[in-house]
Amino acid sequence: YGFYDECKRRYSIRLWKTFTDCFNCVPVSAVIDDKILCMHGGLSPELSSFEQIKRVVRPTDVPDTGLLCDLLWSDPEKEINGWGENDRGVSFTFGPDVVQSFLRKHGLDLVCRAHQVVEDGYEFFSRRALVTLFSAPNYCGEFDNAGAIMTIDESMCCAFQILRPLSRNGGA
């Protein structure tokens, strides 16, 4: 999605490989103050306990199916209930009901994920139970999206800093 090409053009393929090796070692998910679950993709029909996430051995290759694949590649879908087929050809989509049920079962307040371009840099789903953050404005030079960064204060109040896209002539 542009990262490999930019590393190759500006630096070297070796730098891209170093980033890849690093990404393969970072935790696949995090829980903030026992209330916010964070991951790149989304929920998994295989996720019944956070112990399963703790048991994911890193570094590892990402399989085509299963928990790790879903945490990295699943997507919310407003128009469905339950689980659905993902148009990306990998993992699943999940409806608002899945998010609500998951949060109730695990005593959480929010799921925070990335992985999809959203116009304003962040977008809520399932009655504000899930937020998608996308931090790259003007993604790949093909989108006019803003980026966003979410901060969480001591009282677990979330705030968003919007990263506006540059205009086509290079100004803000």
Side-chain angles (χ1 to χ4, degrees):
Y1 299 102
F3 185 65
Y4 171 82
D5 291 334
E6 186 165 349
C7 285
K8 181 180 173 185
R9 181 175 43 81
R10 294 177 69 180
Y11 304 102
S12 67
I13 293 172
R14 186 170 155 233
L15 178 65
W16 174 82
K17 175 70 173 131
T18 301
F19 271 111
T20 300
D21 291 344
C22 179
F23 293 151
N24 285 337
C25 293
V26 298
V28 71
S29 161
V31 177
I32 299 170
D33 207 24
D34 296 322
K35 290 296 178 187
I36 302 174
L37 176 64
C38 306
M39 77 282 281
H40 179 258
L43 301 176
S44 172
E46 294 187 15
L47 181 58
S48 58
S49 159
F50 293 137
E51 286 303 313
Q52 293 170 272
I53 297 172
K54 290 178 183 177
R55 288 194 301 263
V56 172
V57 177
R58 303 288 280 167
T60 188
D61 292 327
V62 178
D64 293 334
T65 61
L67 176 64
L68 180 56
C69 176
D70 298 336
L71 291 170
L72 295 173
W73 304 120
S74 68
D75 295 305
E77 174 58 57
K78 293 176 185 145
E79 306 302 321
I80 68 166
N81 284 313
W83 298 95
E85 194 172 307
N86 196 321
D87 291 340
R88 296 178 192 267
V90 67
S91 191
F92 297 95
T93 57
F94 53 91
D97 59 316
V98 170
V99 177
Q100 294 294 326
S101 173
F102 182 85
L103 293 180
R104 265 192 315 276
K105 177 180 178 183
H106 296 284
L108 297 171
D109 293 340
L110 181 68
V111 174
C112 179
R113 44 115 37 206
H115 180 51
Q116 287 179 301
V117 177
V118 290
E119 185 177 350
D120 297 321
Y122 72 98
E123 183 175 285
F124 284 104
F125 177 78
S126 184
R127 300 189 320 262
R128 298 174 72 96
L130 180 146
V131 65
T132 296
L133 290 173
F134 199 80
S135 61
N138 286 116
Y139 183 57
C140 290
E142 296 177 22
F143 294 87
D144 193 31
N145 66 292
I149 298 168
M150 184 173 81
T151 57
I152 306 165
D153 70 15
E154 299 81 22
S155 64
M156 298 300 289
C157 182
C158 299
F160 299 91
Q161 178 182 350
I162 306 302
L163 309 170
R164 298 279 171 216
L166 296 176
S167 66
R168 296 290 179 213
N169 65 9

